[in-house]
Amino acid sequence: MKRKLTAAIGIAGMMVSIAACGGEGDGGADKGGADAKELTVWLTVDAQNNWPELVKAADDAVKKKHPGLKINHEYYGWPDKNAKLDAVLATDKAPDVVEMGNTEMLGYMVKGAFAPLDQGKFDNADAWLDGLKASVTYEGKTYGVPYYAGGRVANWRKDVAASVGVKTAPKTYKELTDALDKIQKKQGDKFNAWYQPTRDWYAAMSFVYDAGGAIATESGGQWKASLSSPESLRGLNEFKNVVDKYMHGDKTKDESDRYIVYGQGKSAMIFAAAWEGATAEDPKNDKTGKLKGNLENFVMPGPSGKNMPVFLGGSDLAVPVKSDAQDLAAEWINAFAGSSGQKGLMAKGNLPNNKTDLATLKNDPKTAVPATAAEANWFVPMAPGWGQVEKAQILQTMLQSIGTGKKSVEAAAKEADAAIDKVINTK
């Protein structure tokens, strides 16, 4: 599932109230609340609908240690969660645990909304997946715990591949492009051998990181955009090559309806969130009647010769700095997202938050592809102004200029770097 970063939007006002209570440092010392009688946990409806038994198990574990404790749960949909959180954080009624999309964390950490946590108190913290660990870390402190993850994989139609003599999924980038060249030639220029929406920056930045580049780099506490570096340009040029050769649809589109387009039968492959292939073959979306059982996930090979690094989406759990039960909140988080909780989440089809559990999924054919793909991962720059970069859609604008040919790769990257540099260090 995809999470747009909205954290930096609409929280400035409520932060005045937080600041009046003191900075981030007074959260843990004064508000441990180990003897609190009540705990309030905010989760999204994903937990309510898909794994309520895991929520109950965490409650039971904490209540066993703290007899008489009352645990209240509130569940929210993703679209309205942050507005409700912003409103309550401006009062004295803050929840004790909140679920955040991992790209939503940064804006709240920058503004001091969450209490710093002792990483040593959480199971498998030394093995958290790199991208997930980055999402809860700011200026050397930990402000959340990764909950679960979702990665990206390649998915293609086995029948279309077989029509050009390819019977197995590609293991290398050359094998992939050789197969796509054959498919494109056979199907003609109204067909997308690879449906790759131009504005899909998650995919484009995977090419950048695969080439050794980065969106931005940090030195001496300052961030600087690096899309114009030789490595980043190499990745962007290969992304343009893919779009030019295999993507024959609207080159101003983003990825929001990719699974719907895929279900229309005019594409042979996508590089997308792991759930998109299964959703495309759902009878509601499959307009061909041929996709069920005919789609295959595989680990996306990168031009570098290694597996393509993928963006890890997912959720984190955080403790608001205004919570009066921070110690208990941390206990609940570990009961829910710790070792036993991760096993339950994996059984529900999620990727775990740590490398140890992820390794076990590689041994199961049903989970080997997403687990293997998730091993190489990247995350957004944890810079104070990153929310402004996303809000301005700088990367999407750059990619559309590249994909449509409005600007050269070099010119578009240089322009994007200049725009990023104006805001990336601004709190």
Side-chain angles (χ1 to χ4, degrees), residues 243-273:
V243 172
D244 287 349
K245 289 180 69 175
Y246 308 125
M247 167 63 178
H248 300 286
D250 182 350
K251 294 186 179 179
T252 66
K253 284 179 64 65
D254 65 16
E255 71 280 11
S256 58
D257 65 347
R258 172 169 44 209
Y259 66 93
I260 295 174
V261 176
Y262 196 31
Q264 293 170 349
K266 299 295 185 182
S267 310
M269 174 188 147
I270 57 175
F271 173 41

Side-chain angles (χ1 to χ4, degrees), residues 270-316:
I270 57 175
F271 173 41
W275 56 267
E276 292 189 50
T279 306
E281 71 177 18
D282 185 294
K284 296 193 299 292
N285 299 314
D286 179 11
K287 304 306 180 183
T288 70
K290 300 177 182 179
L291 299 186
K292 188 69 174 178
N294 191 33
L295 298 183
E296 179 180 22
N297 281 337
F298 59 93
V299 178
M300 180 68 188
S304 68
K306 301 177 181 179
N307 291 343
M308 184 78 87
V310 298
F311 176 83
L312 288 181
S315 282
D316 297 327

Side-chain angles (χ1 to χ4, degrees), residues 21-159:
C21 298
E24 64 186 31
D26 66 355
D30 299 330
K31 300 183 178 181
D35 58 350
K37 301 302 181 186
E38 199 166 330
L39 195 69
T40 299
V41 177
W42 281 20
L43 299 172
T44 68
V45 292
D46 300 332
Q48 183 181 34
N49 296 336
N50 300 320
W51 43 85
E53 70 277 17
L54 302 183
V55 177
K56 184 179 184 302
D59 288 354
D60 291 345
V62 175
K63 286 179 179 178
K64 186 175 181 180
K65 292 177 62 178
H66 302 276
L69 177 67
K70 180 182 180 182
I71 302 180
N72 306 304
H73 291 281
E74 295 186 30
Y75 295 93
Y76 295 93
W78 285 104
D80 59 354
K81 174 183 65 68
N82 284 1
K84 293 179 182 297
L85 178 60
D86 295 348
V88 79
L89 287 180
T91 73
D92 293 323
K93 303 293 185 182
D96 303 297
V97 177
V98 293
E99 176 182 350
M100 306 292 296
N102 60 359
T103 60
E104 295 172 342
M105 285 288 294
L106 181 57
Y108 287 83
M109 294 190 294
V110 168
K111 298 296 185 180
F114 296 145
L117 302 175
D118 180 355
Q119 188 175 314
K121 292 183 177 180
F122 300 99
D123 296 348
N124 298 310
D126 58 346
W128 285 342
L129 297 176
D130 295 340
L132 300 185
K133 182 177 181 179
S135 75
V136 299
T137 306
Y138 182 65
E139 293 186 338
K141 293 185 178 181
T142 301
Y143 290 94
V145 174
Y147 169 15
Y148 67 92
R152 281 163 170 73
V153 298
N155 180 286
W156 76 357
R157 288 180 56 174
K158 293 186 288 185
D159 59 338

